mmCIF file with all atom_site columns, all heavy atoms in Angstrom:
data_model
loop_
_atom_site.group_PDB
_atom_site.id
_atom_site.type_symbol
_atom_site.label_atom_id
_atom_site.label_alt_id
_atom_site.label_comp_id
_atom_site.label_asym_id
_atom_site.label_entity_id
_atom_site.label_seq_id
_atom_site.pdbx_PDB_ins_code
_atom_site.Cartn_x
_atom_site.Cartn_y
_atom_site.Cartn_z
_atom_site.occupancy
_atom_site.B_iso_or_equiv
_atom_site.pdbx_formal_charge
_atom_site.auth_seq_id
_atom_site.auth_comp_id
_atom_site.auth_asym_id
_atom_site.auth_atom_id
_atom_site.pdbx_PDB_model_num
ATOM   1   N N   . ASP Z 1 60  ? -8.062  39.015 16.434 1.00 97.00 ? 74   ASP Z N   1
ATOM   2   C CA  . ASP Z 1 60  ? -6.861  38.197 16.628 1.00 97.00 ? 74   ASP Z CA  1
ATOM   3   C C   . ASP Z 1 60  ? -6.475  37.559 15.294 1.00 97.00 ? 74   ASP Z C   1
ATOM   4   O O   . ASP Z 1 60  ? -6.385  36.339 15.174 1.00 97.00 ? 74   ASP Z O   1
ATOM   5   C CB  . ASP Z 1 60  ? -7.121  37.127 17.711 1.00 97.00 ? 74   ASP Z CB  1
ATOM   6   C CG  . ASP Z 1 60  ? -5.878  36.261 17.959 1.00 97.00 ? 74   ASP Z CG  1
ATOM   7   O OD1 . ASP Z 1 60  ? -4.771  36.728 17.658 1.00 97.00 ? 74   ASP Z OD1 1
ATOM   8   O OD2 . ASP Z 1 60  ? -6.030  35.124 18.447 1.00 97.00 ? 74   ASP Z OD2 1
ATOM   9   N N   . TYR Z 1 63  ? -8.366  34.521 14.067 1.00 98.00 ? 77   TYR Z N   1
ATOM   10  C CA  . TYR Z 1 63  ? -8.650  33.446 15.033 1.00 98.00 ? 77   TYR Z CA  1
ATOM   11  C C   . TYR Z 1 63  ? -9.857  33.799 15.904 1.00 98.00 ? 77   TYR Z C   1
ATOM   12  O O   . TYR Z 1 63  ? -10.112 33.174 16.919 1.00 98.00 ? 77   TYR Z O   1
ATOM   13  C CB  . TYR Z 1 63  ? -7.405  33.130 15.876 1.00 98.00 ? 77   TYR Z CB  1
ATOM   14  C CG  . TYR Z 1 63  ? -6.411  32.306 15.092 1.00 98.00 ? 77   TYR Z CG  1
ATOM   15  C CD1 . TYR Z 1 63  ? -5.364  32.917 14.417 1.00 98.00 ? 77   TYR Z CD1 1
ATOM   16  C CD2 . TYR Z 1 63  ? -6.548  30.930 14.987 1.00 98.00 ? 77   TYR Z CD2 1
ATOM   17  C CE1 . TYR Z 1 63  ? -4.471  32.169 13.661 1.00 98.00 ? 77   TYR Z CE1 1
ATOM   18  C CE2 . TYR Z 1 63  ? -5.658  30.171 14.232 1.00 98.00 ? 77   TYR Z CE2 1
ATOM   19  C CZ  . TYR Z 1 63  ? -4.623  30.795 13.576 1.00 98.00 ? 77   TYR Z CZ  1
ATOM   20  O OH  . TYR Z 1 63  ? -3.749  30.049 12.819 1.00 98.00 ? 77   TYR Z OH  1
ATOM   21  N N   . VAL Z 1 100 ? -10.962 26.505 14.252 1.00 98.00 ? 114  VAL Z N   1
ATOM   22  C CA  . VAL Z 1 100 ? -10.747 27.100 15.574 1.00 98.00 ? 114  VAL Z CA  1
ATOM   23  C C   . VAL Z 1 100 ? -11.887 26.669 16.503 1.00 98.00 ? 114  VAL Z C   1
ATOM   24  O O   . VAL Z 1 100 ? -12.926 27.327 16.548 1.00 98.00 ? 114  VAL Z O   1
ATOM   25  C CB  . VAL Z 1 100 ? -10.693 28.651 15.456 1.00 98.00 ? 114  VAL Z CB  1
ATOM   26  C CG1 . VAL Z 1 100 ? -10.274 29.287 16.775 1.00 98.00 ? 114  VAL Z CG1 1
ATOM   27  C CG2 . VAL Z 1 100 ? -9.754  29.078 14.329 1.00 98.00 ? 114  VAL Z CG2 1
ATOM   28  N N   . HIS Z 1 103 ? -12.829 28.693 20.584 1.00 98.00 ? 117  HIS Z N   1
ATOM   29  C CA  . HIS Z 1 103 ? -13.558 29.946 20.777 1.00 98.00 ? 117  HIS Z CA  1
ATOM   30  C C   . HIS Z 1 103 ? -14.055 30.443 19.432 1.00 98.00 ? 117  HIS Z C   1
ATOM   31  O O   . HIS Z 1 103 ? -13.527 30.068 18.393 1.00 98.00 ? 117  HIS Z O   1
ATOM   32  C CB  . HIS Z 1 103 ? -12.636 31.008 21.389 1.00 98.00 ? 117  HIS Z CB  1
ATOM   33  C CG  . HIS Z 1 103 ? -11.274 31.025 20.746 1.00 98.00 ? 117  HIS Z CG  1
ATOM   34  N ND1 . HIS Z 1 103 ? -10.194 30.318 21.265 1.00 98.00 ? 117  HIS Z ND1 1
ATOM   35  C CD2 . HIS Z 1 103 ? -10.812 31.612 19.619 1.00 98.00 ? 117  HIS Z CD2 1
ATOM   36  C CE1 . HIS Z 1 103 ? -9.143  30.489 20.476 1.00 98.00 ? 117  HIS Z CE1 1
ATOM   37  N NE2 . HIS Z 1 103 ? -9.490  31.267 19.465 1.00 98.00 ? 117  HIS Z NE2 1
ATOM   38  N N   . PHE Z 1 145 ? -3.459  36.141 26.668 1.00 92.00 ? 159  PHE Z N   1
ATOM   39  C CA  . PHE Z 1 145 ? -2.992  37.405 26.093 1.00 92.00 ? 159  PHE Z CA  1
ATOM   40  C C   . PHE Z 1 145 ? -2.827  38.505 27.152 1.00 92.00 ? 159  PHE Z C   1
ATOM   41  O O   . PHE Z 1 145 ? -2.553  39.647 26.830 1.00 92.00 ? 159  PHE Z O   1
ATOM   42  C CB  . PHE Z 1 145 ? -3.985  37.914 25.033 1.00 92.00 ? 159  PHE Z CB  1
ATOM   43  C CG  . PHE Z 1 145 ? -4.014  37.093 23.762 1.00 92.00 ? 159  PHE Z CG  1
ATOM   44  C CD1 . PHE Z 1 145 ? -5.082  37.218 22.878 1.00 92.00 ? 159  PHE Z CD1 1
ATOM   45  C CD2 . PHE Z 1 145 ? -2.989  36.224 23.435 1.00 92.00 ? 159  PHE Z CD2 1
ATOM   46  C CE1 . PHE Z 1 145 ? -5.120  36.486 21.692 1.00 92.00 ? 159  PHE Z CE1 1
ATOM   47  C CE2 . PHE Z 1 145 ? -3.014  35.483 22.268 1.00 92.00 ? 159  PHE Z CE2 1
ATOM   48  C CZ  . PHE Z 1 145 ? -4.083  35.609 21.389 1.00 92.00 ? 159  PHE Z CZ  1
ATOM   49  N N   . PHE Z 1 163 ? -8.458  33.645 25.494 1.00 96.00 ? 177  PHE Z N   1
ATOM   50  C CA  . PHE Z 1 163 ? -7.657  34.570 24.686 1.00 96.00 ? 177  PHE Z CA  1
ATOM   51  C C   . PHE Z 1 163 ? -8.252  35.983 24.846 1.00 96.00 ? 177  PHE Z C   1
ATOM   52  O O   . PHE Z 1 163 ? -8.512  36.401 25.963 1.00 96.00 ? 177  PHE Z O   1
ATOM   53  C CB  . PHE Z 1 163 ? -7.585  34.062 23.231 1.00 96.00 ? 177  PHE Z CB  1
ATOM   54  C CG  . PHE Z 1 163 ? -6.846  32.741 23.155 1.00 96.00 ? 177  PHE Z CG  1
ATOM   55  C CD1 . PHE Z 1 163 ? -7.518  31.519 23.262 1.00 96.00 ? 177  PHE Z CD1 1
ATOM   56  C CD2 . PHE Z 1 163 ? -5.466  32.713 23.024 1.00 96.00 ? 177  PHE Z CD2 1
ATOM   57  C CE1 . PHE Z 1 163 ? -6.828  30.307 23.228 1.00 96.00 ? 177  PHE Z CE1 1
ATOM   58  C CE2 . PHE Z 1 163 ? -4.769  31.501 22.991 1.00 96.00 ? 177  PHE Z CE2 1
ATOM   59  C CZ  . PHE Z 1 163 ? -5.459  30.307 23.084 1.00 96.00 ? 177  PHE Z CZ  1
ATOM   60  N N   . GLN Z 1 167 ? -13.005 36.810 21.883 1.00 98.00 ? 181  GLN Z N   1
ATOM   61  C CA  . GLN Z 1 167 ? -12.940 35.374 21.542 1.00 98.00 ? 181  GLN Z CA  1
ATOM   62  C C   . GLN Z 1 167 ? -13.564 34.526 22.658 1.00 98.00 ? 181  GLN Z C   1
ATOM   63  O O   . GLN Z 1 167 ? -12.851 33.849 23.403 1.00 98.00 ? 181  GLN Z O   1
ATOM   64  C CB  . GLN Z 1 167 ? -11.476 34.964 21.333 1.00 98.00 ? 181  GLN Z CB  1
ATOM   65  C CG  . GLN Z 1 167 ? -10.823 35.637 20.124 1.00 98.00 ? 181  GLN Z CG  1
ATOM   66  C CD  . GLN Z 1 167 ? -9.313  35.462 20.113 1.00 98.00 ? 181  GLN Z CD  1
ATOM   67  O OE1 . GLN Z 1 167 ? -8.617  35.995 20.974 1.00 98.00 ? 181  GLN Z OE1 1
ATOM   68  N NE2 . GLN Z 1 167 ? -8.797  34.726 19.149 1.00 98.00 ? 181  GLN Z NE2 1
ATOM   69  N N   . ARG Z 1 197 ? -5.993  21.821 10.294 1.00 98.00 ? 211  ARG Z N   1
ATOM   70  C CA  . ARG Z 1 197 ? -5.155  22.175 11.432 1.00 98.00 ? 211  ARG Z CA  1
ATOM   71  C C   . ARG Z 1 197 ? -6.101  22.623 12.546 1.00 98.00 ? 211  ARG Z C   1
ATOM   72  O O   . ARG Z 1 197 ? -7.004  23.432 12.316 1.00 98.00 ? 211  ARG Z O   1
ATOM   73  C CB  . ARG Z 1 197 ? -4.201  23.297 11.020 1.00 98.00 ? 211  ARG Z CB  1
ATOM   74  C CG  . ARG Z 1 197 ? -3.245  23.770 12.123 1.00 98.00 ? 211  ARG Z CG  1
ATOM   75  C CD  . ARG Z 1 197 ? -3.676  25.091 12.685 1.00 98.00 ? 211  ARG Z CD  1
ATOM   76  N NE  . ARG Z 1 197 ? -2.666  25.662 13.586 1.00 98.00 ? 211  ARG Z NE  1
ATOM   77  C CZ  . ARG Z 1 197 ? -2.918  26.648 14.445 1.00 98.00 ? 211  ARG Z CZ  1
ATOM   78  N NH1 . ARG Z 1 197 ? -4.127  27.182 14.515 1.00 98.00 ? 211  ARG Z NH1 1
ATOM   79  N NH2 . ARG Z 1 197 ? -1.981  27.106 15.230 1.00 98.00 ? 211  ARG Z NH2 1
ATOM   80  N N   . ASP Z 1 199 ? -6.764  24.502 15.891 1.00 98.00 ? 213  ASP Z N   1
ATOM   81  C CA  . ASP Z 1 199 ? -6.202  25.572 16.715 1.00 98.00 ? 213  ASP Z CA  1
ATOM   82  C C   . ASP Z 1 199 ? -6.385  25.285 18.207 1.00 98.00 ? 213  ASP Z C   1
ATOM   83  O O   . ASP Z 1 199 ? -7.440  24.810 18.630 1.00 98.00 ? 213  ASP Z O   1
ATOM   84  C CB  . ASP Z 1 199 ? -6.910  26.898 16.368 1.00 98.00 ? 213  ASP Z CB  1
ATOM   85  C CG  . ASP Z 1 199 ? -6.297  28.070 17.088 1.00 98.00 ? 213  ASP Z CG  1
ATOM   86  O OD1 . ASP Z 1 199 ? -5.121  28.367 16.822 1.00 98.00 ? 213  ASP Z OD1 1
ATOM   87  O OD2 . ASP Z 1 199 ? -6.974  28.676 17.946 1.00 98.00 ? 213  ASP Z OD2 1
ATOM   88  N N   . SER Z 1 200 ? -5.374  25.609 18.986 1.00 96.00 ? 214  SER Z N   1
ATOM   89  C CA  . SER Z 1 200 ? -5.438  25.474 20.457 1.00 96.00 ? 214  SER Z CA  1
ATOM   90  C C   . SER Z 1 200 ? -6.064  24.142 20.855 1.00 96.00 ? 214  SER Z C   1
ATOM   91  O O   . SER Z 1 200 ? -6.922  24.079 21.744 1.00 96.00 ? 214  SER Z O   1
ATOM   92  C CB  . SER Z 1 200 ? -6.258  26.629 21.062 1.00 96.00 ? 214  SER Z CB  1
ATOM   93  O OG  . SER Z 1 200 ? -5.751  27.861 20.633 1.00 96.00 ? 214  SER Z OG  1
ATOM   94  N N   . GLU Z 1 246 ? -2.643  21.664 16.987 1.00 96.00 ? 260  GLU Z N   1
ATOM   95  C CA  . GLU Z 1 246 ? -1.746  22.616 17.634 1.00 96.00 ? 260  GLU Z CA  1
ATOM   96  C C   . GLU Z 1 246 ? -1.744  22.263 19.114 1.00 96.00 ? 260  GLU Z C   1
ATOM   97  O O   . GLU Z 1 246 ? -2.636  22.667 19.857 1.00 96.00 ? 260  GLU Z O   1
ATOM   98  C CB  . GLU Z 1 246 ? -2.223  24.066 17.433 1.00 96.00 ? 260  GLU Z CB  1
ATOM   99  C CG  . GLU Z 1 246 ? -1.172  25.052 17.896 1.00 96.00 ? 260  GLU Z CG  1
ATOM   100 C CD  . GLU Z 1 246 ? -1.715  26.369 18.420 1.00 96.00 ? 260  GLU Z CD  1
ATOM   101 O OE1 . GLU Z 1 246 ? -2.937  26.518 18.605 1.00 96.00 ? 260  GLU Z OE1 1
ATOM   102 O OE2 . GLU Z 1 246 ? -0.906  27.276 18.677 1.00 96.00 ? 260  GLU Z OE2 1
ATOM   103 N N   . HIS Z 1 307 ? 3.409   31.818 12.487 1.00 98.00 ? 321  HIS Z N   1
ATOM   104 C CA  . HIS Z 1 307 ? 2.939   33.200 12.620 1.00 98.00 ? 321  HIS Z CA  1
ATOM   105 C C   . HIS Z 1 307 ? 2.872   33.682 14.074 1.00 98.00 ? 321  HIS Z C   1
ATOM   106 O O   . HIS Z 1 307 ? 2.425   34.801 14.316 1.00 98.00 ? 321  HIS Z O   1
ATOM   107 C CB  . HIS Z 1 307 ? 1.548   33.306 11.992 1.00 98.00 ? 321  HIS Z CB  1
ATOM   108 C CG  . HIS Z 1 307 ? 0.557   32.461 12.739 1.00 98.00 ? 321  HIS Z CG  1
ATOM   109 N ND1 . HIS Z 1 307 ? 0.627   31.082 12.791 1.00 98.00 ? 321  HIS Z ND1 1
ATOM   110 C CD2 . HIS Z 1 307 ? -0.504  32.791 13.512 1.00 98.00 ? 321  HIS Z CD2 1
ATOM   111 C CE1 . HIS Z 1 307 ? -0.349  30.615 13.549 1.00 98.00 ? 321  HIS Z CE1 1
ATOM   112 N NE2 . HIS Z 1 307 ? -1.051  31.635 13.995 1.00 98.00 ? 321  HIS Z NE2 1
ATOM   113 N N   . ASP Z 1 308 ? 3.288   32.839 15.020 1.00 97.00 ? 322  ASP Z N   1
ATOM   114 C CA  . ASP Z 1 308 ? 3.236   33.224 16.434 1.00 97.00 ? 322  ASP Z CA  1
ATOM   115 C C   . ASP Z 1 308 ? 4.617   33.432 17.049 1.00 97.00 ? 322  ASP Z C   1
ATOM   116 O O   . ASP Z 1 308 ? 4.708   33.823 18.215 1.00 97.00 ? 322  ASP Z O   1
ATOM   117 C CB  . ASP Z 1 308 ? 2.533   32.122 17.254 1.00 97.00 ? 322  ASP Z CB  1
ATOM   118 C CG  . ASP Z 1 308 ? 1.044   32.003 16.941 1.00 97.00 ? 322  ASP Z CG  1
ATOM   119 O OD1 . ASP Z 1 308 ? 0.420   33.031 16.613 1.00 97.00 ? 322  ASP Z OD1 1
ATOM   120 O OD2 . ASP Z 1 308 ? 0.506   30.881 17.047 1.00 97.00 ? 322  ASP Z OD2 1
ATOM   121 N N   . ARG Z 1 393 ? 3.202   39.543 18.122 1.00 97.00 ? 407  ARG Z N   1
ATOM   122 C CA  . ARG Z 1 393 ? 3.632   38.697 17.013 1.00 97.00 ? 407  ARG Z CA  1
ATOM   123 C C   . ARG Z 1 393 ? 3.629   39.384 15.655 1.00 97.00 ? 407  ARG Z C   1
ATOM   124 O O   . ARG Z 1 393 ? 3.851   38.736 14.637 1.00 97.00 ? 407  ARG Z O   1
ATOM   125 C CB  . ARG Z 1 393 ? 2.715   37.466 16.982 1.00 97.00 ? 407  ARG Z CB  1
ATOM   126 C CG  . ARG Z 1 393 ? 2.713   36.703 18.305 1.00 97.00 ? 407  ARG Z CG  1
ATOM   127 C CD  . ARG Z 1 393 ? 1.503   35.805 18.456 1.00 97.00 ? 407  ARG Z CD  1
ATOM   128 N NE  . ARG Z 1 393 ? 0.278   36.583 18.581 1.00 97.00 ? 407  ARG Z NE  1
ATOM   129 C CZ  . ARG Z 1 393 ? -0.948  36.061 18.731 1.00 97.00 ? 407  ARG Z CZ  1
ATOM   130 N NH1 . ARG Z 1 393 ? -1.085  34.747 18.776 1.00 97.00 ? 407  ARG Z NH1 1
ATOM   131 N NH2 . ARG Z 1 393 ? -2.012  36.829 18.831 1.00 97.00 ? 407  ARG Z NH2 1
ATOM   132 N N   . ARG Z 1 397 ? 4.771   38.845 10.897 1.00 98.00 ? 411  ARG Z N   1
ATOM   133 C CA  . ARG Z 1 397 ? 3.595   38.821 10.019 1.00 98.00 ? 411  ARG Z CA  1
ATOM   134 C C   . ARG Z 1 397 ? 3.635   39.919 8.957  1.00 98.00 ? 411  ARG Z C   1
ATOM   135 O O   . ARG Z 1 397 ? 2.624   40.219 8.318  1.00 98.00 ? 411  ARG Z O   1
ATOM   136 C CB  . ARG Z 1 397 ? 2.326   38.979 10.869 1.00 98.00 ? 411  ARG Z CB  1
ATOM   137 C CG  . ARG Z 1 397 ? 2.156   37.864 11.879 1.00 98.00 ? 411  ARG Z CG  1
ATOM   138 C CD  . ARG Z 1 397 ? 0.984   38.082 12.811 1.00 98.00 ? 411  ARG Z CD  1
ATOM   139 N NE  . ARG Z 1 397 ? 0.798   36.930 13.687 1.00 98.00 ? 411  ARG Z NE  1
ATOM   140 C CZ  . ARG Z 1 397 ? -0.158  36.828 14.613 1.00 98.00 ? 411  ARG Z CZ  1
ATOM   141 N NH1 . ARG Z 1 397 ? -1.013  37.824 14.778 1.00 98.00 ? 411  ARG Z NH1 1
ATOM   142 N NH2 . ARG Z 1 397 ? -0.258  35.762 15.357 1.00 98.00 ? 411  ARG Z NH2 1
HETATM 143 C C1  . NOJ A 2 .   ? -3.007  29.746 18.214 1.00 60.76 ? 1767 NOJ A C1  1
HETATM 144 C C2  . NOJ A 2 .   ? -2.828  30.563 16.973 1.00 60.76 ? 1767 NOJ A C2  1
HETATM 145 O O1  . NOJ A 2 .   ? -1.713  30.077 16.276 1.00 60.76 ? 1767 NOJ A O1  1
HETATM 146 C C3  . NOJ A 2 .   ? -2.677  31.988 17.428 1.00 60.76 ? 1767 NOJ A C3  1
HETATM 147 O O2  . NOJ A 2 .   ? -2.299  32.830 16.373 1.00 60.76 ? 1767 NOJ A O2  1
HETATM 148 C C4  . NOJ A 2 .   ? -3.980  32.432 18.054 1.00 60.76 ? 1767 NOJ A C4  1
HETATM 149 O O3  . NOJ A 2 .   ? -3.828  33.728 18.585 1.00 60.76 ? 1767 NOJ A O3  1
HETATM 150 C C5  . NOJ A 2 .   ? -4.410  31.495 19.184 1.00 60.76 ? 1767 NOJ A C5  1
HETATM 151 N N1  . NOJ A 2 .   ? -4.257  30.111 18.845 1.00 60.76 ? 1767 NOJ A N1  1
HETATM 152 C C6  . NOJ A 2 .   ? -5.857  31.722 19.556 1.00 60.76 ? 1767 NOJ A C6  1
HETATM 153 O O4  . NOJ A 2 .   ? -6.700  31.276 18.538 1.00 60.76 ? 1767 NOJ A O4  1
#
Side-chain angles (χ1 to χ4, degrees):
D74 181 23
Y77 283 95
V114 188
H117 44 266
F159 290 163
F177 295 90
Q181 295 167 293
R211 180 255 189 196
D213 185 64
S214 306
E260 190 210 9
H321 64 295
D322 291 328
R407 304 160 293 180
R411 299 174 175 180

